[in-house]
Amino acid sequence: LAPSLRSRFQGCLVGAVVGDCIGAPFEITGVKGGPGSYEPVLDFINKLGVEVNKPEQLKYTDDTAMARCVAESLIANKGSMEPRDLAMRFAEEFQKSPNRGYGANVIVVLQQIGEEDIKDVFQPAKCQFDGSGSYGNGGAMRVAPVGLCGKKKVDEVIEKARTSALLTHSNKLGYNGAILQALAVHQALHTDHDKMDPEKFTEYLYGLMEEKVETAHEEETESRTHDSKESLLRQVKRRRDESVNIYCDRLKSLKTFLKSDPSADTVASVLGNRISAHNSVGSALYSFLRCLKPVEGIPTENKLERTIAYAISLDGDTDTIASMAGAIAGAFYGVESVPEHWLELCEGCHTAIRQADELYEIFEKEKSQE
Ligand code: F2R
Ligand code: MG
Ligand code: MG
């Protein structure tokens, strides 16, 4: 049975939480044996099945802490993205619980954007890294709630993802990674199971990145055609921004990988397994798309579980890649695909369900007013 849309909303936010909670211990220790070593990851996941009497033993990290702020801010503002409100929530959350494993540099921004007299909440992020801004994956890791809206709202998804990321990540690679992740969640949410084609899914995202996200230059050239004086050919050449080029390249490699099915080592080295957005978002998306089909060495039939195990096994920034992959997978498979005992073992699942329900109510209301 296809999951209901409500279940997909819930699956998305819960998928992000469980990816973060289960991936986090490996971000600290690394995956023994490196990318593609499924065994230690599967051992860990299988042990969770016999430790069901330890509620919330797996703690969420900054990924979930910040995603909860994004969701809560959207809920409080009836679906609208209000930067000042979101900035305040980020700052308060950080103050309340600073030891969630935040990125080394973003903490400076989080200390500044919550100041009551701050004039421009985007300013602190612009000062990061000598003015070049952060390209860390912090904007992408928390963006899933932005993708939970109506099918036709692609432009809104792009705008809200960009704004939410810019509060901490002013580098184009940082916020464009958040846009790609939000679009992937949105597309997974609205793709029927019988119409899922991983290559077309990738092409669709490529098209949006190319057409809608950012252009560096618009050059106008004029040339006279041979046949008539009036027929002046005016061409507008749009040149993609370099950061968008990088994401488009990742999507191209990803599409090739869907056919060639390379080793996890190759996936990690080409698409990335790092803390930077351009070296992690593609891997999360690939984890979801690759795990639509069985993976040798990961025996589970549960495709969301398979996605999370695969994403963690890429090693490196395991909590974030698994969280982003979990959000996309959850938006596609629905909350019933999350193993029940994970809901109890992972801190924050029940809040994720409540927030998903409230975002779903906003979606329903908007639909009834269309
Ligand atoms: N902080 C962690 N994990 C700690 C282990 C890190 C690991 N050893 C590793 O380095 O791979 N996890 C959490 O942080 C990530 C999200 O970070 P966020 O919010 O983007 O933070 P920040 O500080 O803005 O950026 C992170 C680092 O990226 C590098 N960087 C970013 N922009 C840069 C630039 N313009 N020039 C040079 N370096 C740049 C810096 O090293 C930043 O510290 C998630 O993984 C989350 O789970
Ligand atoms: Mg984290
Ligand atoms: Mg991380």
Side-chain angles (χ1 to χ4, degrees), residues 63-314:
D63 305 50
T64 301
M66 297 191 92
R68 282 158 72 122
C69 295
V70 174
E72 217 54 58
S73 181
L74 287 171
I75 293 164
N77 295 290
K78 300 184 175 61
S80 152
M81 175 60 65
E82 300 297 333
R84 222 180 163 82
D85 177 80
L86 182 56
M88 200 59 75
R89 288 175 196 273
F90 283 157
E92 280 172 7
E93 171 59 39
F94 174 68
Q95 248 183 10
K96 194 176 76 193
S97 193
N99 300 320
R100 293 273 184 190
Y102 283 88
N105 293 69
V106 75
I107 55 180
V108 179
V109 179
L110 296 176
Q111 279 155 352
Q112 293 173 358
I113 55 174
E115 285 166 14
E116 257 176 43
D117 56 349
I118 188 167
K119 285 203 178 76
D120 176 6
V121 282
F122 295 105
Q123 189 55 37
K126 289 181 192 158
C127 299
Q128 292 286 79
F129 298 96
D130 296 327
S132 65
S134 172
Y135 53 59
N137 54 18
M141 75 185 181
R142 65 185 187 229
V143 81
V146 163
L148 299 181
C149 59
K151 191 173 181 172
K152 293 181 186 153
K153 301 209 165 189
V154 172
D155 292 328
E156 265 187 42
V157 171
I158 293 173
E159 232 14 80
K160 287 178 187 173
R162 183 186 288 118
T163 305
S164 66
L166 275 169
L167 286 170
T168 47
H169 293 69
S170 69
N171 189 293
K172 285 178 181 178
L173 285 166
Y175 64 77
N176 283 333
I179 291 174
L180 177 56
Q181 169 66 10
L183 288 172
V185 164
H186 185 249
Q187 179 62 4
L189 184 76
H190 293 294
T191 300
D192 292 341
H193 281 205
D194 58 352
K195 298 210 177 80
M196 170 48 94
D197 174 335
E199 286 182 39
K200 288 216 174 88
F201 194 100
T202 312
E203 280 163 17
Y204 172 79
L205 292 175
Y206 187 102
L208 290 180
M209 291 305 284
E210 192 171 44
E211 283 305 310
K212 288 186 178 272
V213 174
E214 192 145 15
T215 45
H217 313 280
E218 294 216 348
E219 279 176 2
E220 233 179 75
T221 53
E222 284 183 357
S223 58
R224 209 170 280 283
T225 54
H226 296 300
D227 46 337
S228 118
K229 271 193 226 158
E230 288 93 57
S231 52
L232 206 59
L233 261 185
R234 190 164 260 153
Q235 281 188 318
V236 177
K237 270 195 197 157
R238 302 178 79 218
R239 245 200 257 148
R240 283 193 320 232
D241 182 84
E242 188 48 37
S243 73
V244 175
N245 269 338
I246 291 180
Y247 285 105
C248 286
D249 282 352
R250 296 286 187 274
L251 291 168
K252 259 193 214 162
S253 306
L254 191 162
K255 198 177 148 203
T256 318
F257 287 176
L258 288 169
K259 282 203 183 101
S260 63
D261 193 16
S263 68
D265 222 5
T266 304
V267 174
S269 68
V270 176
L271 300 180
N273 64 358
R274 310 252 280 276
I275 206 165
S276 46
H278 50 300
N279 291 314
S280 55
V281 174
S283 291
L285 176 59
Y286 180 73
S287 299
F288 163 63
L289 294 172
R290 171 62 189 86
C291 291
L292 288 160
K293 288 197 301 191
V295 176
E296 208 186 324
I298 306 182
T300 178
E301 291 290 308
N302 179 323
K303 293 178 186 173
L304 181 131
E305 188 177 337
R306 185 189 295 156
T307 303
I308 285 181
Y310 182 87
I312 296 173
S313 81
L314 293 176

